[in-house]
């Protein structure tokens, strides 16, 4: 692979989510989930990477690593720790963090919902409650009024598909239901409606208040590349069904405003285009094998068992860069909307594969750009080692290593490599 250039208009950076790095929040539902022993090795979201206290150090590192954009989330439970009560401390904290990013010339993309919520919201039934959308929109309104002057790029909801699946089908995230398909659909429907309302709200507030900068609102879709294990009608039906349930219903809803079966029908908030960009979180390729077991959403989704270890990350997921091209191209051909690669990364504790992972995936981004696809951002997941949800702190996704005993940060060699890429927009073949 020869060296290649990337255009300057493609901003390069990294991504995080509050619950995974901040630590110290007892009002978030992941705190109770940790107390219930549901996080690997008895670990707790209370630990985090102490980012809440060390955000200045971390933003300095971001700047030293030449990153131009940063995707972060605002923790709902920090802003509204109990229903209807706004926390001035939480608001002041994020104001300081976002202002510092701006001072350093780093463009923030703020996620409003990244898998976690306040415990009070969870206690009301979380995203299955009839009041869920209203509660979330009231939080969004507060946040956009408070920070809309310094944030113009917004990601409403992270991975509604993974969220609905892991909360109500796989039982990995609170409230930990298994095979509860009815709730899976209810959560998905509520998230679609919440996204559309948030889209309209963000545009309205930023316009009314005359905030500067082009408003860009989207959501982050988890798009794995799906392949069938077999040929034939049943296999293609299985793949089609899974693609519909895991990908298409969210595109239809969050981009076009349309509810399709099994989420519902019609246009609950009117027909329109409710994304200024599409956020793509891409990690791997999955093989689908059809099954008639409804608990498995009509098909099993696995990694290819024949992939050699050198092409797997520390969690055993296949490293498959061409999938990034394929999922984005499909999305572009359908919608022609700007693309943000909102997450792409791997757990790699010894840092042996991360630099080449980044290089190979950026090569796919380059192909997309050459083919006319409007890719505008690339956020490596993640800036720091963090809480990998129910898997705990074991998997190491960070460009920056965190020593959880001392909370010291160590810049990994791959982060130095990526810093050069960010600085020059030139991707070198040689990894020193
Ligand atoms: C995504 C999620 C992130 C992170 C990442 C790595 O699904 O949005 O929060 O956990 O996966 O597994």
């Amino acid at each position: 692979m020869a060296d290649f250039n990337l255009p300057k208009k493609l901003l390069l950076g990294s991504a995080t989510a509050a619950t995974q790095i901040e630590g110290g929040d007892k009002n978030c539902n992941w705190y109770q989930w940790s107390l219930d022993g549901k996080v690997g090795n008895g670990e707790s979201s209370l630990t985090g990477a102490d980012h809440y206290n060390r955000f200045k150090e971390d933003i300095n590192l971001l700047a030293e690593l030449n990153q131009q954009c940063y995707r972060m989330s605002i923790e709902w439970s920090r802003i509204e720790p109990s229903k209807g009560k706004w926390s001035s401390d939480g608001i002041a904290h994020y104001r300081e963090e976002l202002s510092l990013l701006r001072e350093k010339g780093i463009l923030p993309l703020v996620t409003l919902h990244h898998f976690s919520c306040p415990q009070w919201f969870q206690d009301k039934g979380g995203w299955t409650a009839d009041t869920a959308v209203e509660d979330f929109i009231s939080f969004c309104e507060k946040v956009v009024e408070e920070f809309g002057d310094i944030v113009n790029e917004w990601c409403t909801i992270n991975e509604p598909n993974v969220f609905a699946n892991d909360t109500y089908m796989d039982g990995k995230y609170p409230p930990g239901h298994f095979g509860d398909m009815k709730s899976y659909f209810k959560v998905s429907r509520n998230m679609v409606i919440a996204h559309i309302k948030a889209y309209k709200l963000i545009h309205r507030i930023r316009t009314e208040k005359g905030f500067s900068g082009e408003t860009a609102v989207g959501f982050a879709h988890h798009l794995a590349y799906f392949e069938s294990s077999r040929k034939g009608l049943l296999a293609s039906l299985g793949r089609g069904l899974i693609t519909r349930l895991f990908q298409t219903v969210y595109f239809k809803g969050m981009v076009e405003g349309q509810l399709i079966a099994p989420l519902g029908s019609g246009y609950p908030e009117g027909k329109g285009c409710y994304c200024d960009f599409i956020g793509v979180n891409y990690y791997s390729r999955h093989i689908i094998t059809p099954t008639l077991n409804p608990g498995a959403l009509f098909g099993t989704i696995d990694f290819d068992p024949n992939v050699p270890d050198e092409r797997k990350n520390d969690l055993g997921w296949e490293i498959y860069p061409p999938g990034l091209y394929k999922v984005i191209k499909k999305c572009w051909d359908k919608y022609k909307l700007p693309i943000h690669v909102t997450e792409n990364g791997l757990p790699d504790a010894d840092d042996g594969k991360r630099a080449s992972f980044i290089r190979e995936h950026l090569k796919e981004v380059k192909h997309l750009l050459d083919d006319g696809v409007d890719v505008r951002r690339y956020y490596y997941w993640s800036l720091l080692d963090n809480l990998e949800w129910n898997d705990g702190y074991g998997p190491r996704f960070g460009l920056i290593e965190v020593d959880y005993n001392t909370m010291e940060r160590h810049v990994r060699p791959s982060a130095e490599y990526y810093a050069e890429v960010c600085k020059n927009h030139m991707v070198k073949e040689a990894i020193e």
Side-chain angles (χ1 to χ4, degrees), residues 19 25-36 45 75 77 113 115-123 126 163 167 173-175 389:
T19 302
D25 182 8
K26 291 192 172 173
N27 297 309
C28 166
N29 64 334
W30 274 80
Y31 173 60
Q32 188 56 49
W33 192 239
S34 312
L35 289 181
D36 294 344
S45 63
E75 190 64 55
S77 52
H113 188 276
F115 291 173
S116 51
C117 66
Q119 187 60 46
W120 63 260
F121 178 81
Q122 186 72 59
D123 292 341
F163 179 78
T167 47
Y173 299 177
W389 305 110

Side-chain angles (χ1 to χ4, degrees), residues 308-321:
D309 284 350
E310 339 50 284
R311 303 297 297 167
K312 287 184 192 163
N313 71 27
D314 289 353
L315 283 169
W317 308 350
E318 180 184 4
I319 298 171
Y320 185 68

